[in-house]
Amino acid sequence: MDGMADIEYIDDLAQIRPDDLEGLCAGWRKPLSGAGLLKVLQGSDRVWLARDRLAVVGFINAISDGCLMAFVPLLEVRASHHGLRIGSTLVRKMMHTYRDFYGIDLLCDPSLCPFYERFGMSRVAGMVYRNRDAAMLVFRSEDSAR
Ligand SMILES: CC(C)(COP(=O)(O)OP(=O)(O)OC[C@H]1O[C@@H](n2cnc3c(N)ncnc32)[C@H](O)[C@@H]1OP(=O)(O)O)[C@@H](O)C(=O)NCCC(=O)NCCS
């Protein structure tokens, strides 16, 4: 599939509805609903989306202090659109926006480190805290009771 020519990149949510985002986090143990994901993206400082004629096919979001650091919570491309450079394009757009900042941080599984190293990122140790009972409203309703 030559999908690249059909992909449009946008950086606002004005035309985005919950249905456009449904199924984007399909690989998650507890997937976000479309409405939940829209809430997450609306609360982010910046968001970049890739869409074709039918749907949003990928996105990346960022949270930042506006001058020193930016953090990237999420990057997702629909499985049907993997390998079309959509993920790389989203990362590059994000990194270009923060090119004058000191740092851009994100967490990923070890298997994804080679993907991010392509953009000059380095492996570091990190710490996280997770409240497994929190933010249940953003998950799909059929999963939130688990
Ligand atoms: C990781 C992800 C965003 C990559 O998006 P994508 O659009 O399929 O990737 P691209 O087409 O831009 O890939 C560019 C290159 O990176 C490589 N790559 C893609 N995913 C990779 C991975 N998981 N590990 C190592 N390399 C990877 C590709 O093989 C390609 O290599 P090539 O230039 O030699 O052909 C996508 O696979 C995805 O959404 N995965 C599920 C969610 C996820 O893991 N998100 C990241 C959370 S931190």
Side-chain angles (χ1 to χ4, degrees):
M1 172 185 173
D2 179 15
M4 292 181 67
D6 296 331
I7 303 295
E8 177 191 20
Y9 292 89
I10 58 175
D11 61 2
D12 71 82
L13 298 164
Q15 298 172 20
I16 305 301
R17 304 288 168 260
D19 281 355
D20 301 322
L21 303 174
E22 209 61 58
L24 259 170
C25 303
W28 293 25
R29 188 174 57 87
K30 285 184 0 181
L32 298 187
S33 65
L37 179 53
L38 184 56
K39 187 177 167 71
V40 166
L41 298 183
Q42 286 170 334
S44 303
D45 288 308
R46 296 291 305 263
V47 58
W48 298 261
L49 302 106
R51 64 179 179 186
D52 65 11
R53 283 186 294 270
L54 300 176
V56 173
V57 296
F59 72 91
I60 191 168
N61 66 334
I63 294 165
S64 150
D65 54 30
C67 54
L68 186 74
M69 295 295 303
F71 298 84
V72 176
L74 300 173
L75 165 66
E76 292 282 341
V77 175
R78 286 191 195 274
S80 57
H81 288 68
H82 283 181
L84 298 176
R85 310 277 160 200
I86 295 171
S88 298
T89 303
L90 290 167
V91 170
R92 287 206 182 86
K93 286 181 179 293
M94 178 278 296
M95 292 189 76
H96 181 75
T97 297
Y98 298 118
R99 61 193 178 281
D100 295 327
F101 282 34
Y102 171 70
I104 301 169
D105 290 6
L106 60 82
L107 294 168
C108 71
D109 290 340
S111 64
L112 275 161
C113 290
F115 174 75
Y116 289 113
E117 283 171 342
R118 290 166 171 263
F119 309 101
M121 294 187 169
S122 310
R123 299 177 195 222
V124 296
M127 298 294 293
V128 302
Y129 169 79
R130 296 286 186 265
N131 178 354
R132 305 276 176 204
D133 299 322
M136 302 304 271
L137 289 178
V138 300
F139 296 115
R140 288 195 324 214
S141 54
E142 61 265 37
D143 297 308
S144 60
R146 290 183 196 164

